[in-house]
Amino acid sequence: MFTLPNLPYAYEALEPTMSAKTLHHHHDKHHAKYVDTLNTLMKDKPDLASATLEEVIAAAREPKNPKLFNNSAQAWNHGFFWECMTSSGGKPEGELAEAINAAFGDLEGLKAALVTEGVGHFASGWAWLVSEGGQLKVISTHDAETVADKDGVTAILVADVWEHAYYLDYQQDREGFLKGWFDKIVNWDFAAKQFEASKAGGKGGYRYPSPLQQAA
Ligand code: MN
């Protein structure tokens, strides 16, 4: 069984940028549903009983099992997304700040790239800052698509650009949501840990909470 991780902060912690109402809806309903569906689908996958979530995602990639892929990837993406936010904000420092300046000119350059990517992404998906071969890049992925199982690519940050992430607080204003998210609630300490892990190559860094030992 895969678990729904608790948020790493109180539901009110990200207000007013992200409301407690949005977090209850997003975490307790949307993320929970992906995890529940994943666990139901896993009952038909005894060969994956001891697999990590990252291994399930890789095993389910299209064309093998789209439903299992969508629910496992969405479980992972949301677990990662919660870690990307904090009430304490701040700015990137040290090697991460240097890498951001090298790739985007400065922090405003990264913000512009991420907001443009997220706003320009048609329909549902995710806007990512990733590290690939030590180089920072902004990308977006459609629907449940993820970098969780991509060799040589490490997720540094992600913003959920599905409407359910912002509609209660911003209605259709995805740009306003992304700008506020970037300025106020990004967890740069977490991003720096991911960047540090990325330098070792391979995946490193964040892993979704391990599956609990199945009761016999
Ligand atoms: Mn979401």
Side-chain angles (χ1 to χ4, degrees):
M1 294 281 286
F2 290 98
T3 54
L4 176 68
N6 292 326
L7 292 176
Y9 30 72
Y11 286 92
E12 298 77 18
L14 307 180
E15 291 190 336
T17 311
M18 187 177 287
S19 68
K21 188 176 179 186
T22 285
L23 276 177
H24 274 293
H25 195 73
H26 199 173
H27 174 271
D28 305 355
K29 300 285 195 291
H30 286 278
H31 193 185
K33 178 68 175 169
Y34 293 125
V35 175
D36 283 350
T37 305
L38 166 64
N39 284 327
T40 299
L41 295 169
M42 289 294 288
K43 289 176 185 165
D44 297 329
K45 290 281 164 193
D47 51 317
L48 294 174
S50 60
T52 65
L53 185 56
E54 292 80 8
E55 290 166 344
V56 172
I57 292 167
R61 271 199 175 277
E62 291 205 72
K64 292 175 192 164
N65 192 332
K67 198 169 178 186
L68 182 60
F69 176 80
N70 286 337
N71 285 280
S72 58
Q74 282 295 78
W76 194 97
N77 288 348
H78 284 91
F80 185 82
F81 177 56
W82 309 135
E83 301 295 331
C84 292
M85 298 183 286
T86 177
S87 58
S88 40
K91 295 271 187 272
E93 295 174 359
E95 292 188 18
L96 176 60
E98 289 168 20
I100 288 170
N101 293 343
F104 303 100
D106 58 16
L107 189 60
E108 283 300 307
L110 168 59
K111 178 183 173 182
L114 203 62
V115 170
T116 299
E117 185 74 27
V119 170
H121 182 89
F122 187 73
S124 295
W126 300 84
W128 306 80
L129 175 65
V130 301
S131 176
E132 187 166 11
Q135 179 73 27
L136 291 177
K137 295 179 187 174
V138 166
I139 63 167
S140 56
T141 59
H142 282 286
D143 301 325
E145 186 56 65
T146 185
V147 301
D149 61 322
K150 292 274 171 72
D151 282 341
V153 180
T154 303
I156 308 297
L157 288 173
V158 77
D160 188 339
V161 298
W162 287 57
E163 275 194 348
H164 66 227
Y166 59 88
Y167 203 83
L168 291 174
D169 296 331
Y170 298 84
Q171 286 76 56
Q172 81 295 338
D173 184 13
R174 188 187 286 182
E175 181 175 0
F177 160 63
L178 286 171
K179 286 180 171 173
W181 179 85
F182 190 92
D183 286 341
K184 305 284 191 193
I185 58 172
V186 165
N187 187 341
W188 293 107
D189 289 340
F190 175 73
K193 288 189 185 112
Q194 287 296 109
F195 184 63
E196 180 65 28
S198 79
K199 291 191 296 179
K203 298 310 301 170
Y206 174 85
R207 288 286 186 276
Y208 196 85
S210 301
L212 297 174
Q213 205 64 22
Q214 277 273 21

